[in-house]
Amino acid sequence: GMDDTPRPGSPPPAPVDEDDDPRNHPTNVKIREATALKDKGNAAFSAGSYDDAVRTYTEGADIAAQVEGNYRSQVARDVRTACYCNAAQARLKQERWSDAVDLCTLALGVDAKCVKALYRRGCAHLEQKEYAKARTDLAVAAQVEPNNKAVKSKLVEAERTEMTDAKKAKGANDYDRFAKIELSDDEDGGLAALPPPPPAVAQEEARPPPPAAPAPAPTPPPPAAQPKPASAPTAPAASSGESAPDQKRGSGYRYWAAGPSAPRVIPQKIDPGTVAEPQVANGAGSVWNSAGTYEEKDQTAWAKEELQRIVSAISVEVPGGSARCTGVKDVQGDVGIHMVRGKKRYLFDLHFTVPFEIDLDGEEKVYTGKINVTDFSADDQSDWEANVTWDERPTSSSPAYAKVLAAAGKALDSPKSGTVCAGLADGLHAFIRAFKAR
């Protein structure tokens, strides 16, 4: 065969064209650009610059949309969906519900089963009081992820809020109707139309014998002229003090209402010390919700203190040095224990920033950065979202550059052991265990 070995004095082989490098393929370039914009949007979100975050997310989604019909199209679709979902979360923070709905709809146009898009669009519909749409989105999300506790809780909340608003729309609840009832709603005018109880009625049994009775005794009117009970206010007996015409005992409501046997009931204040404490079954709600139907206990203040305690104690041995977290900053979100049909549900949705320091052996300078946790709302670590930003790090030409980046790690969903991200992930699992022990 032919010898391909270059002969002495022959020209060197031509360099490899950069266009042939897979890393420089237009598809890969666009995916890197879109991913970089998504990370930039995450940093703006963590800083509270929601408009900048939405603008950057949208640019990333537009670039990812240009990658279609090749072997990396699925990766591009994932980046595009994440950009739309994150932008929607930013609009939810701004309470721009319609914009959040539109962005989630764009995400669902790329991935119809994206649970985050369904959940966040359901939340936006709920804030708009579009209850049917909210229930539909949340129900579909629950079908895709049956064990997603946040979705289940929000679906229950949507149903409960819809029922509450429906009652308010009717103008009265079960108690308001009692406040509208008068002392008596008798068609003849009630107790207000009755004269004071005649003494003769109260003393009927003790009437003295006829010889001792006052004279002259009035002649009773004929039966035809006997006034009906409704015309009792015009009877002269009430004003003259003489005996009223006898009424048959127990003849009806008006007889008893007119007599002393029907005293007016006056509400009495209850002494709390005399009331027995209600017994609450184990696992049910508070004493005011002994049935355990629905109750929510806000745990956000406790969560902030517990996160600060756990994260401040995180210290990691990294290759060639050590690293530590210095606390938690800018904690935002909600944490609560929800009692639904007698079962406790532990729900949290937080985002925060964790500053850290890396101290390499032989280096005088301490390198600092932040882990920006943009989504911490589930037990499943694979759903956690975070990115790393730097305040002080070595230059790219420094030998310490690679060591410092490796010591920090890149993400929380699957961090390498011996990194700051791995140490923080362990701390977040400890927080979840403490939360569920409450």
Side-chain angles (χ1 to χ4, degrees):
M2 298 182 61
D3 185 5
D4 294 333
T5 304
R7 299 179 180 276
S10 62
V16 177
D17 191 346
E18 289 187 358
D19 291 338
D20 294 336
D21 188 341
R23 293 173 297 178
N24 295 326
H25 189 279
T27 293
N28 295 328
V29 171
K30 290 184 184 300
I31 289 177
R32 284 201 303 273
E33 290 177 356
T35 302
L37 286 168
K38 178 174 75 72
D39 293 341
K40 183 179 178 182
N42 290 344
F45 183 99
S46 299
S49 303
Y50 298 124
D51 287 331
D52 292 341
V54 170
R55 184 164 46 252
T56 307
Y57 286 137
T58 303
E59 291 176 7
D62 290 343
I63 291 176
Q66 300 173 19
V67 179
E68 296 291 346
N70 59 43
Y71 72 105
R72 300 211 67 188
S73 59
Q74 183 58 51
V75 176
R77 283 196 293 271
D78 292 343
V79 174
R80 188 180 175 194
T81 303
C83 285
Y84 285 139
C85 286
N86 292 351
Q89 181 67 12
R91 291 308 189 203
L92 288 176
K93 293 295 182 182
Q94 294 178 307
E95 298 185 359
R96 294 173 59 170
W97 315 125
S98 297
D99 291 344
V101 168
D102 293 340
L103 287 163
C104 290
T105 302
L106 289 173
L108 292 168
V110 181
D111 180 2
K113 293 184 177 181
C114 178
V115 172
K116 285 187 178 180
L118 289 165
Y119 174 78
R120 291 171 183 173
R121 190 170 72 173
C123 291
H125 281 317
L126 182 57
E127 294 292 344
Q128 293 176 310
K129 298 187 183 299
E130 296 281 354
Y131 298 118
K133 294 179 179 179
R135 284 188 284 103
T136 298
D137 281 342
L138 294 169
V140 173
Q143 290 177 355
V144 177
E145 290 187 6
N147 296 324
N148 191 313
K149 295 181 179 179
V151 171
K152 289 182 179 180
S153 176
K154 187 61 68 172
L155 182 57
V156 172
E157 180 184 341
E159 294 170 348
R160 179 172 56 89
T161 305
E162 182 177 12
M163 288 189 293
T164 301
D165 282 359
K167 287 183 179 180
K168 290 180 180 178
K170 292 179 181 179
N173 58 32
D174 290 340
Y175 299 99
D176 290 339
R177 58 193 176 98
F178 294 108
K180 297 179 180 179
I181 298 177
E182 301 293 341
L183 182 61
S184 172
D185 56 355
D186 185 80
E187 70 247 29
D188 292 329
L191 294 180
L194 293 175
V201 175
Q203 301 175 3
E204 182 179 6
E205 301 297 335
R207 183 182 299 172
T219 303
Q226 178 74 20
K228 295 181 179 179
S231 59
T234 61
S239 60
S240 63
E242 298 177 0
S243 298
D246 290 341
Q247 294 181 348
K248 184 179 179 182
R249 183 178 297 276
S251 60
Y253 160 77
R254 191 170 298 284
Y255 172 83
W256 292 105
S261 60
R264 181 175 178 179
V265 178
I266 300 176
Q268 300 293 325
K269 183 177 181 180
I270 297 176
D271 183 4
T274 64
V275 180
E277 289 291 334
Q279 300 298 318
V280 181
N282 291 335
S286 67
V287 295
W288 302 111
N289 181 28
S290 57
T293 52
Y294 184 87
E295 186 174 353
E296 178 180 351
K297 296 180 180 179
D298 186 15
Q299 301 288 299
T300 306
W302 169 87
K304 290 180 179 180
E305 294 180 0
E306 186 70 5
L307 272 176
Q308 193 70 245
R309 184 187 69 80
I310 292 176
V311 175
S312 298
I314 294 175
S315 179
V316 182
E317 293 297 323
V318 299
S322 61
R324 57 192 169 276
C325 296
T326 59
V328 179
K329 293 184 177 180
D330 303 325
V331 181
Q332 298 183 36
D334 301 297
V335 179
I337 300 175
H338 296 244
M339 180 70 66
V340 182
R341 298 185 181 92
K343 295 182 178 180
K344 284 185 178 180
R345 296 182 179 179
Y346 297 85
L347 304 177
F348 56 94
D349 186 0
L350 297 171
H351 57 91
F352 47 88
T353 300
V354 178
F356 65 86
E357 298 177 348
I358 297 177
D359 189 1
L360 295 181
D361 297 338
E363 292 277 341
E364 295 183 359
K365 184 177 292 186
V366 175
Y367 301 104
T368 59
K370 298 183 184 71
I371 300 176
N372 305 301
V373 181
T374 56
D375 190 347
F376 177 54
S377 59
D379 296 355
D380 190 349
Q381 184 175 339
S382 63
D383 289 335
W384 301 350
E385 294 184 4
N387 61 82
V388 178
T389 57
W390 291 93
D391 301 322
E392 183 71 32
R393 68 176 180 181
T395 61
S396 58
S397 59
S398 170
Y401 179 77
K403 293 181 180 180
V404 169
L405 265 61
K410 295 182 178 180
L412 291 178
D413 53 353
S414 56
K416 292 183 178 180
S417 60
T419 62
V420 180
C421 285
L424 178 57
D426 291 341
L428 295 182
H429 281 299
F431 167 82
I432 294 174
R433 289 193 297 270
F435 180 35
K436 291 188 175 182
R438 290 181 66 79

